[in-house]
Amino acid sequence: MSTTPDWIDPIADHFRHKGWARGVAPFDSHTIASVRAEIEAIWEQRRNASPDRFAVHRPELPRLHRVSATLGAFVRHPVLVELAARIIGPDVDMLWNQAHCKAPGGNPLGRYPWHQDGFYAPVEPTGGYSCWIALTPTRAANGALAGVTRDDDRSLRPHVWNPELTYYVCEVTEEESDVLEMEPGEFVLFDALWPHGSGPNTTGEPRIAYSLSFAQAGTRLKATGQPYGDRVPIVRAGRSVDDVMAELARDPAGTGPGHHLLEELLGRMPEIGDLIRSRFAMYREALLAGDDARAAACLTELVCSAPDEAMVLGDLLRSRGIPDEIRRELRDLGNKDPQARRLLLGRLLELDPGDEAARAELAAMAAVES
Ligand SMILES: O=C(O)CCC(=O)C(=O)O
């Protein structure tokens, strides 16, 4: 990444000034088609797995790098790496990824109400973004992404809980927003303060998008100071992770960024140190044998090594950083899912150890079990 490709500058400038930018990146059509096919296959598998009505009309398929080698590799696509290095800086992680599918048929539950992502999981430092990539044509009629394009207000707006949509919603007027219709491969970058949403899909075809969030390595939740997200490294020392790891594979005694990255992974996940070392050895063997496809697959396994993390109701448990929001979730949850309830209570106590009601409830749950 010695020179910045021409297509990035206008996108980076717009993003820096406005907090969002749309672009047509040089993804090739084969890549976009294979990402779409992979997401459709996962959607098909999961379609009947959840009784949740949102899973039917507007399924969110999170953390796809963990279940698909194609998507695990896509996270480090050169286009995404170039963008991240130019806009975020020399050390970047992919924190979160999810497909946003909208089933055909126009059910109102298929819409995303207006919101700002920064309301949900405030992190620091700021400066990261989500890259929302259209995988099907997106039009007003099928629920294209819409956002505030005519107002430069960069503040966090008040959000109000909407029980019908089970979403915190902010206000956006028609005068300040636009629907951003796109072709497959076009994308929008947006930061945590960009108010956005989308309508239902009233057509007869699915609408599919893939959104990946990137941030400076070491990004933490404001509320707890804990590291946030899946933290898949994609850029180190201003170079792609593929590049720095290939350098290390060719010179394992080297002390460059590849060495530091391997140390970083081992330091972060000592409990799977042997697995990380063996994945690096397999990657190195494939690379030195000239088997590029196998080497890329091994590198995906290596950088996506993080152990699974608890998820509750479709979100990472650790993404919860606001005690009152967890209390609201607990009220909505009632007794429907004791395991989810236990995890949320535990998280609430991490954030607010003085919550005696949560402590008593957890103790009562433990007593019933023993
Ligand atoms: O896909 C959509 O229509 C909305 C996605 C969204 O709200 C998000 O990625 O934060």
Side-chain angles (χ1 to χ4, degrees):
M1 287 186 295
S2 45
T3 53
T4 305
D6 294 346
W7 58 269
I8 292 193
D9 271 340
I11 297 171
D13 288 348
H14 197 278
F15 177 78
R16 195 171 43 248
H17 289 113
K18 307 278 185 189
W20 71 279
R22 68 182 288 176
V24 184
F27 290 118
D28 64 274
S29 53
H30 171 74
T31 300
I32 292 300
S34 65
V35 168
R36 174 181 169 170
E38 197 73 0
I39 288 172
E40 279 181 308
I42 297 168
W43 184 10
E44 182 64 34
Q45 279 163 18
R46 296 192 188 168
R47 204 184 293 270
N48 299 320
S50 171
D52 182 275
R53 56 207 177 118
F54 289 103
V56 174
H57 301 293
R58 194 202 64 191
E60 288 172 352
L61 309 175
R63 307 179 85 200
L64 297 182
H65 68 293
R66 300 181 66 86
V67 294
S68 154
T70 303
L71 301 175
F74 181 70
V75 163
R76 306 191 315 280
H77 189 286
V79 163
L80 299 175
V81 167
E82 295 277 9
L83 272 170
R86 171 77 174 80
I87 296 177
I88 298 174
D91 298 301
V92 181
D93 287 349
M94 188 281 299
L95 296 190
W96 180 255
N97 68 94
Q98 63 185 342
H100 293 287
C101 306
K102 290 192 189 218
N107 191 298
L109 293 180
R111 66 182 270 245
Y112 276 95
W114 294 114
H115 64 281
Q116 292 163 297
D117 291 348
F119 178 81
Y120 288 85
V123 293
E124 53 193 4
T126 54
Y129 57 73
S130 293
C131 178
W132 187 102
I133 306 167
L135 298 176
T136 56
T138 64
R139 300 285 182 267
N142 71 1
L145 191 66
V148 169
T149 50
R150 302 183 216 171
D151 185 339
D152 289 345
D153 174 18
R154 312 288 309 123
S155 59
L156 191 61
R157 302 181 181 206
H159 282 65
V160 173
W161 178 245
N162 180 318
E164 170 59 17
L165 296 169
T166 64
Y167 227 82
Y168 280 100
V169 181
C170 69
E171 280 202 13
V172 169
T173 63
E174 266 184 35
E175 292 69 44
E176 59 181 344
S177 60
D178 275 307
V179 174
L180 304 173
E181 299 190 328
M182 288 183 248
E183 299 304 326
E186 288 185 54
F187 66 89
V188 184
L189 298 186
F190 56 90
D191 70 10
L193 292 175
W194 191 55
H196 61 282
S198 58
N201 176 4
T202 61
T203 70
E205 299 293 326
R207 190 225 74 173
I208 304 174
Y210 188 29
S211 179
L212 304 104
S213 301
F214 299 96
Q216 188 177 310
T219 292
R220 290 170 183 274
L221 280 169
K222 248 188 198 158
T224 59
Q226 285 176 303
Y228 175 61
D230 283 310
R231 293 189 277 159
V232 176
I234 69 155
V235 182
R236 283 297 181 271
R239 294 161 58 193
S240 75
V241 157
D242 290 63
D243 194 19
V244 302
M245 292 311 280
E247 184 179 73
L248 181 67
R250 294 200 179 93
D251 174 15
T255 54
H259 167 79
H260 291 299
L261 175 54
L262 199 56
E263 292 292 302
E264 175 192 321
L265 294 174
L266 289 166
R268 207 177 99 195
M269 298 174 278
E271 68 285 6
I272 56 163
D274 289 346
L275 180 69
I276 291 173
R277 279 186 210 92
S278 83
R279 285 183 171 170
F280 176 67
M282 278 157 55
Y283 161 68
R284 180 162 185 260
E285 194 183 302
L287 190 95
L288 296 184
D291 186 344
D292 292 345
R294 169 113 192 94
C298 290
L299 186 59
T300 295
E301 288 193 337
L302 174 64
V303 295
C304 297
S305 288
D308 206 356
E309 233 184 71
M311 283 190 69
V312 187
L313 310 174
D315 274 320
L316 284 183
L317 183 63
R318 277 186 318 128
S319 73
R320 272 71 167 196
I322 307 172
D324 276 347
E325 225 185 286
I326 303 182
R327 291 187 187 99
R328 197 264 313 136
E329 266 192 87
L330 284 163
R331 277 195 300 279
D332 286 355
L333 186 63
N335 293 321
K336 276 181 265 178
D337 183 344
Q339 170 62 1
R341 200 166 176 88
R342 184 178 307 104
L343 289 168
L344 286 172
L345 285 165
R347 178 65 180 161
L348 177 55
L349 281 172
E350 264 178 38
L351 294 167
D352 180 4
D355 187 326
E356 293 308 330
R359 194 174 298 284
E361 185 178 343
L362 258 187
M365 286 176 115
V368 168
E369 272 156 29
S370 61

